[in-house]
């Protein structure tokens, strides 16, 4: 039971962290009137993280590509007027995440 709570809590923290990073990097806020997409983005990333953990076990290239595409889609939705900054924020987060996880698993 404790591992179940820890796994879902870590997945939720990852989803919140990526949405926070991309939103701050694109210089957008968390007001629901200006940016109503951050709550659904957390939900979608959280659900895909749970799905990925259960069905694509281990460090999988397919799940990394899908995560990167989810991050790019969210960043382009909120930062359409600054496309380059949005794409750089999504790629930077994914690169940092991949490098950090690779370093921790060594």
């Amino acid at each position: 039971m404790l591992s179940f709570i820890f796994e879902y809590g870590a997945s939720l923290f990852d989803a919140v962290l990526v949405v926070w990073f991309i939103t701050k990097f694109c210089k957008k806020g968390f007001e629901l009137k200006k940016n109503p997409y951050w709550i659904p983005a957390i939900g979608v990333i959280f659900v895909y993280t749970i799905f990925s953990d259960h069905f694509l076990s281990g460090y999988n290239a397919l799940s990394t590509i899908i995560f990167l595409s989810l991050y790019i889609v969210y960043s382009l939705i909120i930062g359409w007027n600054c496309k380059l900054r949005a794409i750089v924020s999504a790629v930077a987060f994914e690169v940092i995440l991949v490098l950090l996880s690779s370093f921790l698993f060594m």
Side-chain angles (χ1 to χ4, degrees):
M1 180 68 179
L2 188 60
S3 65
F4 174 80
I5 293 171
F6 182 72
E7 179 183 355
Y8 280 24
S11 298
L12 183 63
F13 178 74
D14 289 344
V16 170
L17 185 66
V18 68
V19 168
W20 176 82
F21 180 82
I22 292 173
T23 305
K24 287 296 184 178
F25 198 88
C26 289
K27 296 184 179 178
K28 300 292 180 181
F30 289 100
E31 298 87 20
L32 286 177
K33 290 185 179 183
K34 293 182 181 177
N35 182 10
Y37 305 108
W38 65 274
I39 293 175
I42 289 174
V44 168
I45 293 170
F46 174 67
V47 168
Y48 182 71
T49 303
I50 298 299
F51 174 80
S52 174
D53 287 346
H54 287 292
F55 294 111
L56 300 172
S57 61
Y59 196 69
N60 194 336
L62 177 65
S63 66
T64 303
I65 292 168
I66 294 173
F67 274 124
L68 181 61
S69 65
L70 286 173
Y71 301 161
I72 289 175
V73 166
Y74 171 68
S75 65
L76 285 175
I77 286 173
I78 66 165
W80 188 250
N81 55 353
C82 54
K83 293 174 191 77
L84 182 64
R85 175 178 227 122
I87 292 172
V88 166
S89 69
V91 171
F93 186 83
E94 186 64 27
V95 167
I96 290 168
L97 189 67
V98 167
L99 290 176
L100 182 64
S101 63
S102 298
F103 177 72
L104 291 175
F105 286 121
M106 283 169 86

